[in-house]
Amino acid sequence: IAALESWRALGLNISIDDYGTGQSSLGYLQKLPATELKIDMSFIQTLVSDRRNAIMVRSTIAMAHELGMKVVAEGVEDGACLQQLAEMGCDTAQGWHIGKPMKAEALEALLVERRAAASVLAVNDRRKPAQPLHRPPAVAGPPPRTGEEWLRSAYDAGDAA
């Protein structure tokens, strides 16, 4: 634990992987200077169909955030799961729905393509009128985001870093 604390002092981030299974337990959350919690795919893959898993994932996300940690959901394989995680406030998702494993060259080409597409979207957004012609009624809180909007915001935040 002392070594992990010294690495944290240097600014390194520490993740607890496969949380919810095996050796990853509440005891680790209490003792380790982790900055990120990765929820095991066994909870994520049945999130939409299993109410109990949804409750455990939602409470784990809330607990990790209260402890100052970011949360990664492992094993996201469909849009419904991604949408539910976004609604729960999960910070990051990984899995085949997001992207399949690829070689570094393929990843670089994908990022270049997405950056170009984001530039086109930004130009198009500037062409929109500043004031909408019709204002929708005010609602409390931010509007719900789709899984795609959540991914785009996460991607844009990564560009800013």
Side-chain angles (χ1 to χ4, degrees):
I1 293 178
L4 293 175
E5 289 173 348
S6 66
W7 293 343
R8 277 293 305 129
L10 294 172
L12 294 175
N13 291 321
I14 298 169
S15 296
I16 297 175
D17 197 18
D18 298 330
Y19 183 77
T21 62
Q23 299 297 316
S24 294
S25 68
L26 287 172
Y28 282 148
L29 295 181
Q30 185 179 37
K31 296 174 185 171
L32 298 178
T35 54
E36 181 178 79
L37 187 67
K38 297 179 80 174
I39 301 174
D40 187 75
M41 66 176 18
S42 63
F43 296 97
I44 302 303
Q45 290 178 338
T46 59
L47 177 72
V48 174
S49 62
D50 187 334
R51 181 178 173 274
R52 292 172 66 102
N53 274 357
I55 291 168
M56 288 187 277
V57 169
R58 181 180 293 111
S59 64
T60 299
I61 291 169
M63 178 180 57
H65 285 162
E66 286 290 322
L67 292 170
M69 294 182 200
K70 297 287 185 183
V71 179
V72 178
E74 300 177 324
V76 176
E77 295 188 0
D78 60 62
C81 180
L82 181 62
Q83 178 67 35
Q84 192 161 352
L85 287 164
E87 291 168 2
M88 291 178 173
C90 187
D91 301 297
T92 306
Q94 66 184 55
W96 285 61
H97 182 71
I98 310 299
K100 294 176 177 57
M102 63 181 72
K103 295 185 179 214
E105 298 81 19
L107 176 61
E108 183 179 6
L110 177 67
L111 293 175
V112 167
E113 177 185 314
R114 286 190 178 177
R115 187 165 284 136
S119 295
V120 169
L121 287 174
V123 168
N124 288 340
D125 284 348
R126 286 194 285 270
R127 293 182 188 157
K128 293 179 182 175
Q131 295 294 322
L133 298 175
H134 168 71
R135 291 186 186 272
V139 293
R145 297 187 297 175
T146 65
E148 184 176 322
E149 290 169 328
W150 182 60
L151 274 176
R152 179 174 286 156
S153 69
Y155 175 76
D156 291 342
D159 277 351

